[in-house]
Amino acid sequence: MLVVMKSGAAPEQVERVCQEIRTLGFTPHAMPGAGRTAIGITGNKGPVNALPFEALAGVEQCIPVTKGYKLVLREMKPEGTRVQVNGCEMGGGTNFTLIAGPCSVESTQQMETVAKFLKDQGVKILRGGAFKPRTSPYSFQGLEEEGLDILKDVGARFGLGTITEVMDTGAVEAVEAHAGILQIGARNMQNFSLLKRVGKAAKPVFLKRGMSATLEEFLLAAEYVLHGGNHNVILCERGVRTFADHARNTLDLSIIPSVQKLSHLPIFADPSHAIGKREFVEPMAKAALAAGADGLMVEVTPDPDHALSDGAQTLNFKDFERLLKSLRPLAQALGRKIN
Ligand code: PEP
Ligand code: MN
């Protein structure tokens, strides 16, 4: 059940509701929003009786929840979650945020070149994998700790926010100390111990959809993170496995409005990993913007043909500039602000 407080309810009234929840042996999760606070109840095995709550001062209504996810529900925060990283606001309807950078951090020089370019383009968040989840053990596995140091250093020097993947619980502390956003990759979307661990992290989480995950499984994975206490979660559609063999994956744009109807969490699209071919990144990116995505994650590096991972889907600087140029009029027509 969710307890929705009246707008302007006093903090003591919110606390009184939380106390009542604790008295029943359950856990309250208060989520203050722009208009009002909603309080999710977890730990209950069956339905919770709404009557005692409806009688409390400041309570507007109680909403029963039948699904396994509660805290991600739009009713918890109807205006949508906004995640702030390094002065860049993601989510909330108007912002359309670009996260860009190479698949893998390969060297300081590569990251400096990318950072300078992206800064000039107005991009605020730099990506780069240090720990790479590779299908083959013989493929480049990432620079690991050295990659984290490079990303942190370059991000700081160029005033960019940063994001990198964390593959296991043991690496969370180090990644948290080096990056602004923790990425959970598609292959780890249901790594529940990792989800629990990043639920305790102080940094926002960028959760990529598993390659065969349903909407429900995706939202339940996010629920793990919110349940741990970390409410700063961004979802990302990165393509799913289908029978189609003309592309690496199939970008499932239909999940964007579906997530937005059910959940307050921002939803990004990653056209690079979805399509797998750089020439099709631009049309897929435009389609994601048109479908209402909150932003994009795009792979870009100076020399994609010699990239150590995902070169075929990675844009060069010229392609990226063209992409931005084609997104701008579309964003403007849709009332979206590229940041
Ligand atoms: C990545 O972003 O580099 C990545 C490995 O993505 P995914 O988990 O979506 O495959
Ligand atoms: Mn990649």
Side-chain angles (χ1 to χ4, degrees):
M1 191 170 78
L2 312 180
V3 182
V4 178
M5 303 301 292
K6 291 185 172 134
S7 75
E12 306 80 64
Q13 294 175 329
V14 174
E15 182 44 36
R16 178 70 194 83
V17 172
C18 292
Q19 251 175 30
E20 182 67 22
I21 295 169
R22 286 188 210 103
T23 305
L24 293 169
F26 309 143
T27 309
H29 300 261
M31 214 183 279
R36 86 288 197 271
T37 295
I39 305 162
I41 302 176
T42 63
N44 54 303
K45 297 275 181 277
V48 179
N49 182 7
L51 285 177
F53 291 98
E54 283 166 352
L56 291 176
V59 172
E60 171 84 38
Q61 62 166 330
C62 294
I63 304 174
V65 178
T66 48
K67 302 264 191 224
Y69 45 83
K70 310 174 183 195
L71 306 178
V72 302
L73 283 173
R74 184 159 279 280
E75 286 82 354
M76 286 295 287
K77 215 176 169 83
E79 74 278 17
T81 282
R82 290 163 195 248
V83 177
Q84 311 271 350
V85 174
N86 199 37
C88 178
E89 184 178 77
M90 291 167 273
T94 305
N95 303 310
F96 186 73
T97 307
L98 295 185
I99 297 177
C103 180
S104 298
V105 173
E106 297 177 11
S107 68
T108 300
Q109 202 220 332
Q110 169 224 27
M111 292 306 285
E112 280 172 350
T113 312
V114 175
K116 181 177 180 325
F117 167 74
L118 292 177
K119 181 95 187 167
D120 289 345
Q121 299 297 311
V123 171
K124 300 202 174 60
I125 305 199
L126 174 66
R127 67 152 282 151
F131 296 97
K132 295 303 303 175
R134 303 308 300 278
T135 305
S136 164
Y138 305 117
S139 301
F140 177 59
Q141 302 287 308
L143 295 182
E144 304 181 336
E145 282 80 6
E146 187 194 346
L148 291 182
D149 288 337
I150 295 173
L151 182 67
K152 182 176 180 175
D153 168 55
V154 172
R157 279 196 282 124
F158 288 83
L160 295 168
T162 54
I163 173 168
T164 197
E165 178 162 352
V166 56
M167 292 207 301
D168 48 71
T169 52
V172 174
E173 206 177 316
V175 174
E176 241 198 306
H178 287 80
I181 307 174
L182 310 178
Q183 176 171 321
I184 304 291
R187 292 155 190 81
N188 266 323
M189 190 207 79
Q190 284 189 315
N191 180 338
F192 298 114
S193 38
L194 184 57
L195 296 173
K196 285 181 189 170
R197 176 61 186 85
V198 297
K200 298 288 171 213
K203 298 277 172 76
V205 171
F206 190 85
L207 178 65
K208 297 186 97 175
R209 181 184 180 187
M211 48 191 91
S212 64
T214 62
L215 171 63
E216 173 144 350
E217 288 162 345
F218 195 16
L219 292 177
L220 284 168
E223 184 80 14
Y224 265 89
V225 183
L226 272 78
H227 182 240
N230 189 348
H231 294 180
N232 284 316
V233 174
I234 298 167
L235 304 172
C236 180
E237 159 62 27
R238 46 77 71 205
V240 289
R241 280 273 171 92
T242 66
F243 55 83
D245 59 3
H246 59 276
R248 183 175 179 183
N249 294 289
T250 297
L251 183 64
D252 178 15
L253 290 171
S254 70
I255 203 153
I256 293 168
S258 309
V259 162
Q260 286 168 338
K261 181 168 181 195
L262 285 173
S263 176
H264 55 84
L265 297 175
I267 169 98
F268 276 48
D270 172 349
S272 306
H273 290 88
I275 196 83
K277 295 178 187 169
R278 72 176 77 113
E279 62 182 311
F280 300 139
V281 167
E282 181 185 319
M284 292 297 96
K286 286 195 281 193
L289 167 57
D294 289 290
L296 298 175
M297 169 172 268
V298 176
E299 288 185 335
V300 56
T301 203
D303 184 8
D305 289 335
H306 294 97
L308 296 180
S309 58
D310 284 351
Q313 67 195 32
T314 301
L315 304 183
N316 63 27
F317 291 172
K318 218 170 95 231
D319 294 336
F320 189 87
E321 275 186 72
R322 217 186 41 225
L323 168 69
L324 252 183
K325 211 168 147 201
S326 74
L327 289 173
R328 284 196 198 288
L330 184 56
Q332 197 179 14
L334 291 165
R336 307 291 302 280
K337 197 175 112 258
I338 297 185
N339 68 359

